[in-house]
Amino acid sequence: MPDWITYLMELLALPEFGLSTVLVVSFISATLLPLGSEPAVFGLIKLNPHLFWPAILVATAGNTAGGAVSWLMGLGTHKVVDRARGNHVDLRALQWLERFGPKACLMSWLPVVGDPLCAVAGWLKFPFWPCLAYMAIGKFARYLTMTAALLWFFPGTLHP
């Protein structure tokens, strides 16, 4: 293995750079790439129980920022499609989502559909800041619930 890969792996290793790793992993997992950040959060907290709240907050921030990028990608895609077609396009399948507006972003915590939902919110041109706030609330609730449940099912601490 090349030295730079070894160095990069050591740099991102838990727990020395745990919160930065959680931030990056949670950001990437909020995009449309298939990656789960809960194992990284759980692992960091198992190794460093005193980092419970910082890990939850950092994961929420990273995942919310990733959701914001997805929202921007959805908005950009809508603008490109509008320009290419020369008119405004509304898909009937998305009309039910329009009834909920930015509050639909509370569901961004759901597996599989949550991350694309952020892009759809951008596509539908929902207001950015309310969407971001609802995303943050939903993602915070997910990290808090998932991590607490995992700690309940797997009690005790690990020693590095």
Side-chain angles (χ1 to χ4, degrees), residues 78-159:
H78 193 144
K79 288 181 178 183
V80 168
V81 168
D82 280 353
R83 257 188 250 128
R85 292 188 179 175
N87 61 0
H88 180 69
V89 177
D90 273 333
L91 302 175
R92 288 184 181 257
L94 301 177
Q95 287 179 350
W96 70 270
L97 189 59
E98 289 179 325
R99 277 188 288 152
F100 296 104
K103 290 179 184 173
C105 290
L106 276 172
M107 305 301 276
S108 66
W109 67 271
L110 289 170
V112 182
V113 298
D115 296 328
L117 180 63
C118 298
V120 171
W123 171 270
L124 295 173
K125 299 180 182 175
F126 289 167
F128 178 75
W129 293 111
C131 284
L132 193 68
Y134 285 115
M135 279 184 230
I137 293 167
K139 290 171 182 293
F140 175 79
R142 177 185 79 200
Y143 282 113
L144 184 61
T145 303
M146 290 294 294
T147 304
L150 285 169
L151 289 172
W152 187 76
F153 282 113
F154 303 102
T157 58
L158 298 177
H159 301 286

Side-chain angles (χ1 to χ4, degrees), residues 1-55:
M1 185 174 340
D3 290 338
W4 68 271
I5 292 177
T6 304
Y7 174 74
L8 182 62
M9 289 174 65
E10 288 174 5
L11 183 67
L12 296 176
L14 295 173
E16 289 94 5
F17 298 94
L19 289 176
S20 61
T21 302
V22 165
L23 181 70
V24 170
V25 169
S26 63
F27 177 85
I28 292 171
S29 73
T31 63
L32 300 178
L33 297 174
L35 178 69
S37 56
E38 289 83 2
V41 174
F42 177 67
L44 176 65
I45 292 172
K46 284 300 277 185
L47 291 172
N48 300 289
H50 65 282
L51 292 178
F52 180 86
W53 287 110

Side-chain angles (χ1 to χ4, degrees), residues 62-75:
N63 213 249
T64 301
V69 168
S70 293
W71 184 95
L72 291 168
M73 289 170 49
L75 177 65

